[in-house]
Amino acid sequence: MSDAKQFDVVVIGAGPGGYIAAIRAAQLGFKVACIDEWANAKGGPAPGGTCTNVGCIPSKALLQSSEHYEHAGHAFAEHGIDVAGLSLNLPQMLKRKETVVKQNNDGILFLFKKNKITFFHGRGAFSGAAEGAYQVSVSGANADTLGAKHVIIATGSNARELPGAPFDEKLILSNTGALAIGSVPATLGVIGAGVIGLEMGSVWRRLGSKVTVLEGLPTFLGAVDEQIAKEAHKLFTKQGLEINLGVKISKVTAGANNVTVDYANAAGEAQSAVFDKLIISIGRVPNTIGLGGETVGLKLDERGFIAVDDDCKTNLPNVWAVGDVVRGPMLAHKAEEEGVAVAERIAGQHGHTNFNTIPWVIYTSPEIAWVGQNEQQLKAAGVAYKAGTFPFMANGRARALGDTSGMVKFLADATTDEILGVHIVGPMASELISEAVVAMEFRASSEDIARICHAHPSLSEATKEAALAVDKRSLNF
């Protein structure tokens, strides 16, 4: 094998975890290669993984476009903007989404060049190990074999199929098909009221679909603070999402032009519903298909994830794994943090990822965001805490925006006042949560936030007011 094909670090996968790990390793002076098989419509490379191609980025593009459409049809008149002859150009909306995706793909390829990372377009797999190094094969149009001192696995995850209802991406859709429906379905079923189900359901509801959500759990958004989840459920129902909880799916049957779902409702009564399209969003499974882990003895855990320790080390020396393919939350930004941490550990530094300060966001309208522990968790753990809430209804900027739904909620230790969790449902929650993440990383108290001057008028004042409310002294409510 030529020296040109020998690398200090080979990264398999160019999603958020992989491409960030490759960049950080290159910054630290390593000779780096990154392998990724995603292809665009023309067969060219499309790095960025699920997030860029069929996840975070395109879904946010459609959420933004559909929100503009809904505002034009329902909210502009209140602002003194009269819209006549409003119509939906769905092909253009989808085209814009694809443009946004391509801009991100091209941006990653540029970053590889800028950081002198060698990119290989194809599927990466272990093909052997010898003398303290690993052989990694690249299959595809330009097959190759690389040598690697260190390997970082960042192969991501795939949508979980419902038994008996495989994805055809025409009638039964994963996130991939949900982002590419060619015409607005009159009726849309969504199995799973998680992040993807709610976001995609929101997009197509705004564009004109009658959306029915079927969720197996008896509670809505069980991972979210209960008070915030109840508020979100009320708001989504008011918008027109039909949300059914405690559902047990018995059968999914795809016809020529529609899908029939037979299920039992929470009361155990048999139900049957027919939908033009059905989105299944019941979670994701780690992607280790074709990785060749068995060739080198890579260990998986009982759920099929690559087994790693707290430092993302696998059972093999100098083999690491990050992101959706390992334990922990399946979030793009979690993968990025692990990718940076692993590159720094390879360099002998002390990379760090704090799972307790990883923010979560659901990009519905209103948005839902949180960090740290919720009230149910604190009660279950027997932690004494104080809570403070502040509604956007009492926030001047929210009134000016015309979006006063939701609230900010602080949870702080009853004795030390350290912030234990912050939960938001409301406008721009995804941006507001960052202040809480910073505060918790510095182990701030709610009093610290309450004493910090926030710009007026701004949505962030609701954060300050909720912190004040922990001590029962909010000023504007």
Side-chain angles (χ1 to χ4, degrees), residues 430-452:
S430 58
E431 303 295 339
L432 295 173
I433 200 64
S434 292
E435 179 180 7
V437 175
V438 171
M440 288 182 64
E441 275 290 352
F442 284 90
R443 300 195 66 178
S445 65
S446 66
E447 181 71 12
D448 288 324
I449 301 301
R451 291 285 180 184
I452 292 171

Side-chain angles (χ1 to χ4, degrees), residues 360-420:
W360 295 70
V361 183
I362 305 175
Y363 294 86
T364 45
S365 183
E367 292 182 345
I368 304 168
W370 70 96
V371 62
Q373 294 174 286
N374 61 39
E375 217 170 331
Q376 306 96 279
Q377 291 168 327
L378 294 176
K379 285 178 180 175
V383 176
Y385 66 91
K386 297 179 291 183
T389 62
F390 186 82
F392 283 105
M393 176 184 66
N395 175 267
R397 183 66 191 277
R399 291 191 192 116
L401 284 173
D403 188 354
T404 57
S405 59
M407 72 184 81
V408 180
K409 179 176 183 177
F410 265 67
L411 298 169
D413 187 280
T415 305
T416 66
D417 196 39
E418 181 179 349
I419 300 166
L420 303 175

Side-chain angles (χ1 to χ4, degrees), residues 31 36 72 97 114 153-154 157 160 186 191 194 264 283 308 349 375 388 413 417 459:
K31 183 182 178 185
D36 190 84
K97 175 207 68 174
K114 176 185 174 183
I153 303 165
S157 61
R160 183 189 299 276
I191 296 178
V308 292
Q349 299 180 10
E375 217 170 331
D413 187 280
D417 196 39
L459 295 172

Side-chain angles (χ1 to χ4, degrees), residues 11-23 34 112 152 154 322 335:
V11 183
I12 304 176
Y19 90 79
I20 290 293
I23 290 171
C34 186
F112 283 161
I152 302 174
V322 302

Side-chain angles (χ1 to χ4, degrees), residues 28 30 150 313 320 340-351:
L28 290 164
F30 294 112
H150 290 264
K313 290 178 181 176
W320 314 72
V340 169
V342 164
E344 292 175 351
R345 288 169 189 144
I346 291 172
Q349 299 180 10
H350 299 281

Side-chain angles (χ1 to χ4, degrees), residues 241-263:
L241 279 181
E242 183 184 327
I243 302 169
N244 298 275
L245 303 173
V247 165
K248 187 173 182 180
I249 307 293
S250 54
K251 189 178 182 184
V252 175
T253 308
N257 299 300
N258 53 36
V259 183
T260 302
V261 180
D262 295 314
Y263 64 96

Side-chain angles (χ1 to χ4, degrees), residues 17 152-157 284-288 291 298-301 303-314 319-331 334-335 338-339 342 345 353 355:
I152 302 174
I153 303 165
T155 48
S157 61
R284 299 183 64 81
V285 293
N287 177 25
T288 56
L291 181 60
L298 181 68
K299 183 182 176 183
L300 305 183
D301 70 15
R303 295 188 300 154
F305 291 89
I306 294 173
V308 292
D309 65 11
D310 290 345
D311 290 335
C312 293
K313 290 178 181 176
T314 71
V319 176
W320 314 72
V322 302
D324 283 8
V325 81
V326 302
R327 80 288 176 268
M330 288 182 163
L331 298 168
K334 174 262 197 183
E338 287 183 329
V342 164
R345 288 169 189 144
T353 303
F355 277 22

